[in-house]
Amino acid sequence: MSSTAQTTTEIRTFTVSTPEDELADLRRRVAATRWPDRETDASQGVQLDTIQALAHYWARGYDWRKFEERFVALPHFITEIDGVDIHFIHVRSTHADALPLIVTHG
Amino acid sequence: MSTVETATEIHPFNVSIPDERLSDLRRRITAAQWPTKELVEDSSQGVQLATMQELARYWGSDYDWRTTEARLNALPQFMTEIDGLDIHFIHVKSQHENALPLIITHGWPGSVLELLEVVGPLTDPTAHGGGAEDAFDLVLPSLPGYGFSGQPTELGWDPARVAQAWAELMNRLGYTRYVAQGGDQGASVTDAMARQAPDGLLGIHLNWLSAFPQEVGAALFGGLIPAGIFKRVVITVLGAQAKKKEPEALDALAALFRRGYFVEMPEHPQTIGYALTDTPVGLAAWMLDHDADSYEKISRAFVDDQPSGGLTRDRIVGNITLYWLTNTATSSARLYWEGFRTIFAAIASGEKPAELSLPVAFTVFPGEIFEAPRSWAEKVYPNLIYFNEADRGGHFAAWEEPQLFAEEMRAAFRSLRNAGS
């Protein structure tokens, strides 16, 4: 009983390391995109030129490893709360009396 | 002169999809990346994972497009250019003299494939429980942006413009007396045909109410109608009356206007189009999420191998494959954008729809998204010559219950056969 409770309140360090074949699969899927025809009016949603330029950059210009480097440079942790693994970044200030602030994305 | 001749030509058409397109599709189905399972035991979070995985398994390994292609190619298909666009249609003439020409328009997420099983009963009634006097010559066009018809590259192809094209098609085929039928988007087109009342159109049959009485419009769109205080009070009172008289039909109709596809396709067809165009499994899920009744039936066909009438696995996947191979997920969605744009422009301007005096027949199928009350049909169509509530069938009535659907056509149009001759 108490050991379970100890396990679930544990805070473990965490890092990101994406296998190369997952990145290759993503690039392959982006490059193999099948496209619809051009919109007949700009108000019909995301425009073909925009999304094709994005896809082009995503498959050829973008480098996930650069992002991963920046990301793992921060202290990451995982802890289980209410049955779900919660990932968070926790950066302590070097200044005494820093105010703890939790920021939630959308 | 020669241009005109070319443009009204009617060419025979056959479907023949290259093998590599089919293997590309199978590859994409097999490579599908799946979400985790929904957290509920019903369809309240949408199309269920078990249904989609069984559909994908069947689609990727058992289904054969060539059988669907053969069903299409067994019928006389044609292509003709109307209003700048290639229109694909099936045209089956009855062997019986004095057959009544009938043009049936499919809807979304349907195609001419949903109508193939009514061809026999309608054109060859004596082999399907009817008499020679029940015969129809049948014209089944693919909507612009659907199936093998061309995709509009300019604005303005709303149901009214399609209706004008259909009148030209019937004229081009030499029909001087004919009737028209439609459900779903096909009902919007057929309703528009009746309002335009082209020469030769004797009457229509609908299995979807696409036009609403004033009080229903007030309840649905009241907030959009530009109005002063006095008119606003009238709209509110009318809307409340509609709600009191036909609460079930009105609630079901209001729920449709909140449904995902019915919001996204009229608003941003291009945005959803990227997802639907790139992933067959995503396209299939989007097409399955049309209405509760057909989803339940389709889901049963895959998960329990218990099809409802003609809604078999083969036919369901065949229709989805047609959308995939013709790359029409986005262009078909644009018909909603066009149709809503016309409707909201009419609401904003206060313009009333054209008077409709042609005879109208209506069949309510019990599984339909909302069961149109007779009182609504009578108000919208003053010359309502036939109204029947069928005992089975749903949104895809011709597909699910072809024999029953054909019997409705026979009964609905019987009184018009000798009219206006």
Side-chain angles (χ1 to χ4, degrees):
Chain A
M1 189 73 176
S2 64
S3 79
T4 311
Q6 273 169 6
T7 312
T8 56
T9 58
E10 221 178 76
I11 293 177
R12 292 162 276 156
T13 55
F14 176 79
T15 191
V16 178
S17 169
T18 310
E20 190 53 41
D21 56 343
E22 275 188 38
L23 300 179
D25 177 64
L26 172 59
R27 270 193 302 272
R28 197 162 42 237
R29 285 175 191 261
V30 176
T33 300
R34 206 177 75 132
W35 298 101
D37 280 355
R38 182 173 303 284
E39 63 280 356
T40 52
D41 188 90
S43 69
Q44 289 172 348
V46 175
Q47 288 162 280
L48 188 66
D49 285 346
T50 304
I51 202 72
Q52 286 192 329
L54 185 151
H56 179 86
Y57 170 74
W58 197 3
R60 297 174 197 198
Y62 176 71
D63 183 2
W64 167 260
R65 294 297 179 204
K66 276 191 194 154
F67 168 78
E68 212 174 58
E69 259 173 52
R70 278 176 53 221
F71 200 58
V72 300
L74 297 167
H76 291 264
F77 303 92
I78 293 263
T79 192
E80 190 186 320
I81 301 176
D82 201 2
V84 179
D85 274 346
I86 301 296
H87 163 256
F88 62 101
I89 297 167
H90 183 200
V91 186
R92 285 178 189 271
S93 172
T94 53
H95 298 286
D97 304 324
L99 181 64
L101 166 63
I102 180 167
V103 181
T104 308
H105 68 81
Chain B
M1 198 66 175
S2 73
T3 313
V4 174
E5 272 169 13
T6 311
T8 59
E9 243 174 58
I10 295 174
H11 311 272
F13 178 82
N14 256 288
V15 182
S16 171
I17 303 289
D19 276 332
E20 72 247 31
R21 305 271 321 277
L22 302 179
S23 49
D24 176 69
L25 169 58
R26 268 194 301 273
R27 202 163 37 237
R28 286 173 190 262
I29 296 166
T30 313
Q33 180 175 254
W34 294 96
T36 51
K37 187 180 177 299
E38 66 279 359
L39 300 180
V40 292
E41 295 305 315
D42 55 26
S43 61
S44 61
Q45 289 183 347
V47 174
Q48 290 151 289
L49 185 67
T51 301
M52 281 315 300
Q53 290 197 324
E54 180 50 27
L55 185 151
R57 187 207 60 72
Y58 173 79
W59 197 5
S61 53
D62 294 359
Y63 173 72
D64 180 8
W65 164 258
R66 297 297 177 204
T67 61
T68 307
E69 203 172 74
R71 289 178 70 225
L72 277 169
N73 290 338
L75 296 168
Q77 298 172 86
F78 303 91
M79 199 70 94
T80 192
E81 190 187 318
I82 303 178
D83 199 0
L85 210 60
D86 277 343
I87 299 297
H88 163 258
F89 64 101
I90 295 167
H91 184 200
V92 184
K93 285 183 187 264
S94 175
Q95 292 182 338
H96 297 286
E97 274 180 54
N98 303 320
L100 181 64
L102 164 64
I103 179 167
I104 304 185
T105 309
H106 67 83
W108 185 94
S111 65
V112 291
L113 289 174
E114 63 178 298
L115 304 170
L116 297 192
E117 293 305 309
V118 302
V119 171
L122 290 175
T123 61
D124 188 11
T126 51
H128 296 86
E133 68 280 6
D134 294 320
F136 292 93
D137 283 345
L138 209 49
V139 178
L140 309 175
S142 296
L143 283 165
Y146 288 66
F148 295 102
S149 280
Q151 301 191 9
T153 53
E154 57 171 2
L155 294 184
W157 277 97
D158 63 357
R161 184 153 166 194
V162 178
Q164 287 173 344
W166 280 191
E168 168 57 19
L169 175 61
M170 295 306 271
N171 178 51
R172 205 171 281 185
L173 292 171
Y175 290 130
T176 53
R177 300 173 65 253
Y178 63 92
V179 291
Q181 200 284 333
D184 194 84
Q185 290 281 7
S188 303
V189 170
T190 306
D191 170 277
M193 287 178 82
R195 288 177 203 282
Q196 292 163 9
D199 285 346
L201 181 63
L202 304 177
I204 64 169
H205 175 277
L206 303 167
N207 59 307
W208 172 261
L209 199 63
S210 66
F212 309 119
Q214 199 184 23
E215 69 272 20
V216 177
L220 290 174
F221 307 118
L224 299 172
I225 301 170
I229 289 281
F230 177 70
K231 201 171 167 197
R232 174 74 45 218
V233 170
V234 173
I235 289 166
T236 307
V237 170
L238 276 176
Q241 280 174 355
K243 178 117 184 140
K244 201 173 165 193
K245 278 186 192 156
E246 297 288 354
E248 277 180 34
L250 196 64
D251 284 350
L253 192 52
L256 171 65
F257 280 87
R258 296 189 299 270
R259 213 170 161 98
Y261 80 94
F262 216 75
V263 174
E264 180 67 4
M265 301 209 306
E267 189 188 25
H268 279 170
Q270 191 72 18
T271 302
I272 188 64
Y274 297 110
L276 306 182
T277 302
D278 192 47
T279 154
V281 168
L283 172 66
W286 186 253
M287 291 173 73
L288 253 57
D289 205 9
H290 180 266
D291 66 280
D293 176 74
S294 72
Y295 170 69
E296 193 190 313
K297 288 166 177 169
I298 289 170
S299 190
R300 266 207 309 272
F302 285 99
V303 178
D304 307 322
D305 200 12
Q306 284 181 340
S308 178
L311 284 172
T312 62
R313 295 192 299 184
D314 173 72
R315 304 288 155 86
I316 294 158
V317 163
N319 184 54
I320 299 167
T321 307
L322 176 67
Y323 273 75
W324 177 266
L325 294 174
T326 54
N327 196 357
T328 48
T330 310
S331 53
S332 63
R334 284 191 200 118
L335 182 57
Y336 284 78
W337 188 89
E338 291 281 1
F340 274 56
R341 199 166 75 128
T342 303
I343 291 167
F344 289 132
I347 291 172
S349 71
E351 183 195 330
K352 292 210 169 68
E355 288 292 320
L356 193 157
S357 55
L358 279 179
V360 176
F362 199 95
T363 305
V364 183
F365 289 90
E368 186 54 277
I369 293 172
F370 74 102
E371 292 187 46
R374 184 179 193 129
S375 61
W376 293 6
E378 280 171 342
K379 278 185 190 159
V380 179
Y381 302 120
N383 192 1
L384 189 71
I385 57 162
Y386 178 89
F387 184 90
N388 189 34
E389 293 178 351
D391 61 2
R392 58 190 192 283
H395 185 76
F396 302 99
W399 187 354
E400 191 183 349
E401 299 288 347
Q403 181 66 25
L404 177 61
F405 182 88
E407 284 162 13
E408 284 302 302
M409 295 305 103
R410 292 171 191 166
F413 289 125
R414 192 159 287 142
S415 67
L416 299 183
R417 283 189 177 262
N418 301 312
S421 53

